[in-house]
Amino acid sequence: MKVRRSERLIDMTHYLLEHPHELISLTFFAKRYESAKSSISEDLAIVKRTFKERGTGILETLPGAAGGVLFIPVINKEEAKKYIDSLAERLSEQDRLLPGGYVYLSDLLGEPQLLRQVGRIIASKYVDKKIDAVMTVATKGVPIAQAVSYYLNAPFVIVRRDSKITEGSTVSVNYVSGSSERIEKMELSKRSLKRGSRVLVVDDFMKGGGTINGMQSLIHEFEAELVGVTVFAEANFKGKRIVTDYDSLLYVEDVNTQTKTISVVPGTYFNEE
């Protein structure tokens, strides 16, 4: 039974959104809806125009027998900045200040809609770079890495600080904690990352950069390539930061435990290149 065009457009749009960075042939859609390829092409032109006008993403058309369409989710800088501005306001709320000057993030990083937007924002920066894996450490950075990996259609790997028998044989490195300057250890399963992989590192919060530096060392041990580093938020670190080449979505510029105030602004992600 042939599908009506309105239903076809809805289903086609949904399918593309659910399969980012995946080449889909016109033949697939033609068989799925029992329609001619010419009709499918017309439908895709409508979807492409709508995606562009709404800022949903880019729909690339690849010609030839092995061609098809490729959906690349992106977000423009203006929309991303507006969203991060709103997050900076939420992060500046007084009740987020914890003993010791720490900032409470768990509720934000537990919101599915927030994670989707953050994942889309981070992934947008790497749409023109081949990413084979998204790496994070086993903390609150895991849901962020999962969101980014979804929009890049790349697997995410979790670095751990303790051994898990279910991980099999691992590669471990020692690194210096950026804030406490203690020697710590992290490890990654040998099966998690292939040699020569292009890796994007993401994390939830950065102070001195020790954890990020440890992940960089692991990437080197796997003979892989670091493509970039992006953190959800960074602190105003008084000492010398170990990592200097990174992007942050938010910058906690001041935490005053006496007045119980937090000042948060957009991070380096929005600096002019």
Side-chain angles (χ1 to χ4, degrees):
M1 181 179 176
K2 288 191 66 175
V3 180
R4 288 184 298 179
R5 188 177 198 186
S6 58
E7 296 173 345
R8 193 169 67 213
L9 281 167
I10 293 171
D11 187 74
M12 186 181 295
T13 301
H14 179 264
Y15 191 91
L16 290 166
L17 291 172
E18 291 291 309
H19 296 80
H21 291 275
E22 183 178 319
L23 184 62
I24 305 166
S25 68
L26 266 63
T27 302
F28 170 81
F29 282 134
K31 290 181 178 179
R32 184 179 178 92
Y33 308 120
E34 297 184 14
S35 302
K37 287 186 180 180
S38 57
S39 298
I40 297 299
S41 295
E42 292 173 2
D43 292 346
L44 288 170
I46 295 172
V47 176
K48 181 177 183 177
R49 183 173 66 251
T50 304
F51 278 3
K52 183 178 180 181
E53 292 174 353
R54 298 292 181 182
T56 306
I58 302 166
L59 192 62
E60 286 191 355
T61 304
L62 285 72
V69 290
L70 187 73
F71 170 58
I72 304 172
V74 295
I75 185 171
N76 61 53
K77 276 289 181 75
E78 291 75 21
E79 185 181 348
K81 178 67 161 53
K82 184 178 179 180
Y83 189 77
I84 295 301
D85 283 339
S86 68
L87 283 186
E89 289 183 14
R90 293 184 64 185
L91 207 58
S92 298
E93 297 165 353
Q94 282 189 339
D95 59 0
R96 293 194 174 279
L97 189 57
L98 300 173
Y102 292 96
V103 181
Y104 182 69
L105 292 174
S106 295
D107 63 329
L108 293 179
L109 299 181
E111 294 182 12
Q113 180 59 30
L114 182 149
L115 289 169
R116 283 195 294 269
Q117 285 290 73
V118 167
R120 186 177 164 211
I121 290 170
I122 295 174
S124 293
K125 190 177 181 68
Y126 298 94
V127 292
D128 58 345
K129 299 177 182 178
K130 184 178 180 296
I131 302 295
D132 297 311
V134 179
M135 177 182 285
T136 194
V137 72
T139 58
K140 292 186 289 293
V142 171
I144 299 175
Q146 187 173 18
V148 175
S149 68
Y150 171 80
Y151 284 107
L152 290 174
N153 193 24
F156 71 96
V157 297
I158 302 175
V159 175
R160 302 187 183 278
R161 291 191 174 94
D162 53 351
S163 299
K164 298 285 184 181
I165 193 170
T166 53
E167 295 292 295
S169 58
T170 62
V171 173
S172 64
V173 296
N174 294 323
Y175 69 99
V176 180
S177 171
S179 53
S180 63
E181 296 188 350
R182 295 196 307 260
I183 300 297
E184 299 188 17
K185 186 180 80 168
M186 61 171 56
E187 57 187 42
L188 183 64
S189 169
K190 288 183 177 180
R191 301 186 183 190
S192 294
L193 196 63
K194 294 180 180 179
R195 181 181 298 179
S197 294
R198 291 171 55 81
V199 183
L200 168 62
V201 169
V202 301
D203 206 359
D204 61 324
F205 198 77
M206 182 174 73
K207 287 185 177 179
T211 302
I212 300 292
N213 188 53
M215 285 190 278
Q216 289 178 340
S217 298
L218 264 179
I219 291 170
H220 177 73
E221 288 295 322
F222 276 83
E223 297 182 17
E225 178 184 354
L226 176 66
V227 179
V229 176
T230 301
V231 297
F232 178 71
E234 64 168 312
N236 183 354
F237 189 65
K238 302 299 182 182
K240 185 177 180 181
R241 190 165 269 148
I242 299 174
V243 177
T244 57
D245 189 10
Y246 66 91
D247 288 304
S248 61
L249 300 187
L250 295 161
Y251 175 55
V252 183
E253 62 179 1
D254 184 59
V255 175
N256 192 317
T257 54
Q258 293 183 337
T259 59
K260 294 184 178 180
T261 56
I262 308 170
S263 176
V264 183
V265 296
T268 61
Y269 180 95
F270 300 98
N271 293 349
E272 292 295 332
E273 296 183 358

